[in-house]
Amino acid sequence: MTTIGVVGGGAAGTMVVTHLARTWDARQPLSIVVYDTSARPARGVAYSTTEPHHLLNVPAGRMSAVHDDDGHFLHWLRSRDAKSTAEDFRPRCEYGDYLADTLADHAAAVRLVVRRCQVIGVSRAGAGVRIEHADGADRVDAVVLALGHAPPARPPAVVAPESAGYVADPWAPGAL
């Protein structure tokens, strides 16, 4: 059995799992271990918001998480809201739900394990990779770093970041 570690369980990690589940040779058993510290895998920072006014910045018709099915998100939407269109800018939390459903739908094709822990080290181990995490260590055949975006950097022009009006990380709880 081949085992692949995916560090990061947000949108990028979900799309990695989905792609592998759809393209892996079913005759070769595949195990995927996703490492994610969040309580709600598949959503990542950008899609874990619960605020319905936080909208996607791309229309629904161009937001498929499945590489060979451009209408995947739109079909998912229409199964819940028949009036959805490809031009709609939908709530980010709704897209997070879609990613979670997509991950669950494709998990059956592989042996999926989600470890809710932080990865603290990745190193070569013979022909494979050792992933050290808060709960111990795992040996996998390959690893994918699906880390998403780095935290925002402070612009050089912002001399006093604590000044009123500057929000360092708009995704941080309570930031807005």
Side-chain angles (χ1 to χ4, degrees), residues 54 167 169-176:
H54 292 167
V167 178
D169 183 357
W171 300 111
L176 301 177

Side-chain angles (χ1 to χ4, degrees), residues 45-82:
V45 174
Y47 307 116
S48 62
T49 179
T50 56
E51 174 56 54
H53 298 299
H54 292 167
L55 302 179
L56 294 170
N57 56 345
V58 175
R62 296 189 354 221
M63 287 296 292
S64 175
V66 178
H67 78 281
D68 59 353
D69 184 354
D70 292 341
H72 194 260
F73 178 50
L74 191 56
H75 296 303
W76 182 91
L77 276 174
R78 288 182 174 155
S79 72
R80 286 148 182 79
D81 178 0

